[in-house]
Amino acid sequence: MTPSPFRQSRPAARALACGVAFALAASALSGCAGYKMPAFLKVRPGSSTGKARLPGERIPVLSASDRLEVNAALKGIGFQIPAAQPVPSWPQPGGVPESVVGHAAVARDFQIAWRKDIGLGGGPKGQITAQPIVADGRLYVMDAQATVSALDPATGREVWKAVLGERKGPDRDAYGGGLAFHEGKLYVTSGYRFVAALDAKSGAVMWRRKVDTPIHSAPGVLDGRLYATDVDDELLTFDSVTGAPGWTYQALQENARMLAASSVAVNGDVVVAPFASGELTALNTANGSELWSYVLSLTNRNNALSEIRDIAGRPVIYRGDVLAGSHSGVFAAVDLRSGQPRWSLPITSISSPWPAGDVVYITDVNGQVICVSREAGQVYWITDLNKGLKEKQRQNYSGPVLASDRLVVVSEKGELKALDPRTGALTTTLNLRVKKGSTLSPTPAEGMLYVVAESGTLLAIR
């Protein structure tokens, strides 16, 4: 396959990353006990202000052009969002293969209907990475050790349970994986190095395929093919009926990645896969041939963490565009057919975007919820949910989900916050009262919002 031109600058980027990391490490030493600051860095004795001794104007050498700001020209201008519609099912991560819902008519009362323990929560031996899914009148969840449960979505009553994790040898502790439903089968991927299909009604294993490396992503299923990405950034495919392996695609491998179960988006004969390298790659569904590859990467000299390029949130295909954001600080709309970016913004995100009508919503790693013009990439509003808080009080947020005229996000400390989708004003906060909050976007279906907490508690918001 023809290599992407974006890949040619990787050595230089790595060299820059090493330099930034070294500088940050040196800076951090200045706060360590016993460390003596070199004389040339000290303020001149007798100077209480700490001002520089040399005269002249100081001009910053690092550009501030990558700051995200509200577009003043959009002040007072409204936008269209679709009316709320019932969501009878949520069969795959992101809802449907294209990961598009729009506006869900769920959780109108915004109150907790029920809660249930689903098994082992996140900790040293595992992490809950599977978003709940809903299909054929059942709610499916997976705990941190690959125990899958089918529940009644109205009450939380357990229908069946399947223990799939095999804690042996190198797979004693495993991370990653997720769930998907398609044509009566529940598909499971796992960090325990397997892909499986279960009978959705009984939980019986229909087939199970061992793989060489842990599966990082949740599965995506369409037209007889299952897609999943392993921790080595290789996209694997399987026959969804038999489990037989199909074509594979190897992206650039990365040692550093986010602990999240992203998944592919599929539209017709095109599958769009996100990778830890920051590559957003479109492939032909029939044979895996590369159609285009665009890298969501922006090295920031102020932040060595920008070298973690992972696209941890699911890409979304909406009206001919692929919408995706990376941990490296790029959120972009890319043309599905050509791979050319229509616009990009300096947003660092590990959550999936949510397009709705004229706009697309996204949450960044600093707790900001952002509303962007879908056509032009201009910012309507920004709401900082951590504004004015001390460092220990600040939270990370997952989502958003547009539900019954509320833009909903969930925090790592267990708070569900609702914003006005047109203005960004915070309207409601619901305390979930869990030991650990959630790092997964809520699932809207069957009139509810389902939230799985890292403590192993599943909550239904009516």
Side-chain angles (χ1 to χ4, degrees), residues 39 72 109 353 379 381 400 420 444:
D109 295 338
V379 178
W381 54 257
D420 185 311

Side-chain angles (χ1 to χ4, degrees), residues 47-344:
S47 171
S48 61
T49 63
K51 292 183 178 179
R53 288 175 286 181
L54 298 177
E57 180 184 2
R58 267 65 186 171
I59 301 175
V61 297
L62 297 181
S63 172
S65 61
D66 60 349
R67 291 183 58 186
L68 186 71
E69 296 179 343
V70 172
N71 191 308
L74 297 181
K75 185 177 181 179
I77 297 178
F79 50 82
Q80 181 270 337
I81 57 176
Q85 299 292 329
V87 182
S89 64
W90 190 272
Q92 300 196 34
V96 293
E98 296 89 350
S99 301
V100 175
V101 171
H103 190 178
V106 298
R108 294 187 182 277
D109 295 338
F110 210 62
Q111 297 293 326
I112 298 174
W114 53 262
R115 64 178 69 220
K116 182 176 179 60
D117 183 3
I118 64 168
L120 183 70
K125 297 183 179 180
Q127 190 90 6
I128 296 179
T129 60
Q131 184 186 27
I133 64 171
V134 180
D136 275 4
R138 291 286 181 268
L139 168 65
Y140 301 96
V141 292
M142 183 167 70
D143 75 355
Q145 288 187 338
T147 295
V148 179
S149 302
L151 311 174
D152 182 330
T155 65
R157 176 183 62 85
E158 184 178 296
V159 178
W160 56 256
K161 178 182 290 186
V163 180
L164 302 178
E166 297 180 355
R167 301 186 60 207
K168 299 177 181 179
D171 297 331
R172 184 172 292 113
D173 303 326
Y175 300 85
L179 305 171
F181 176 96
H182 187 64
E183 297 182 348
K185 297 183 181 69
L186 182 67
Y187 295 93
V188 184
T189 56
S190 173
Y192 287 101
R193 304 174 192 245
F194 73 85
V195 179
L198 311 183
D199 181 278
K201 292 184 178 180
S202 66
V205 177
M206 303 181 72
W207 58 257
R208 179 174 177 138
R209 175 71 60 175
K210 193 74 174 177
V211 294
D212 294 333
T213 52
I215 297 292
H216 173 67
S217 75
V221 187
L222 188 69
D223 294 336
R225 185 173 283 112
L226 181 148
Y227 305 87
T229 307
D230 67 15
V231 296
D232 288 338
D233 271 324
E234 184 175 20
L235 179 63
L236 311 173
T237 65
F238 304 86
D239 185 291
S240 62
V241 177
T242 66
W247 57 261
T248 64
Y249 175 85
Q250 180 65 63
L252 294 176
Q253 296 186 35
E254 290 284 341
N255 293 325
R257 65 189 314 142
M258 307 301 297
L259 184 58
S262 186
S263 60
V264 301
V266 186
N267 181 276
D269 59 354
V270 179
V271 54
V272 179
F275 295 104
S277 58
E279 294 171 282
L280 187 67
T281 303
L283 306 166
N284 186 291
T285 57
N287 54 24
S289 61
E290 182 178 310
L291 303 176
W292 53 260
S293 187
Y294 180 72
V295 180
L296 301 178
S297 179
L298 177 66
T299 300
N300 187 333
R301 290 173 292 177
N302 294 302
N303 183 7
L305 291 178
S306 67
E307 277 298 308
I308 301 177
R309 301 174 176 84
D310 204 347
I311 304 174
R314 299 175 185 88
V316 176
I317 299 174
Y318 190 75
R319 298 185 182 180
D321 287 333
V322 183
L323 300 160
S326 77
H327 186 269
S328 188
V330 179
F331 174 51
V334 181
D335 183 87
L336 175 63
R337 292 298 168 182
S338 68
Q340 294 299 311
R342 292 206 307 108
W343 51 259
S344 65

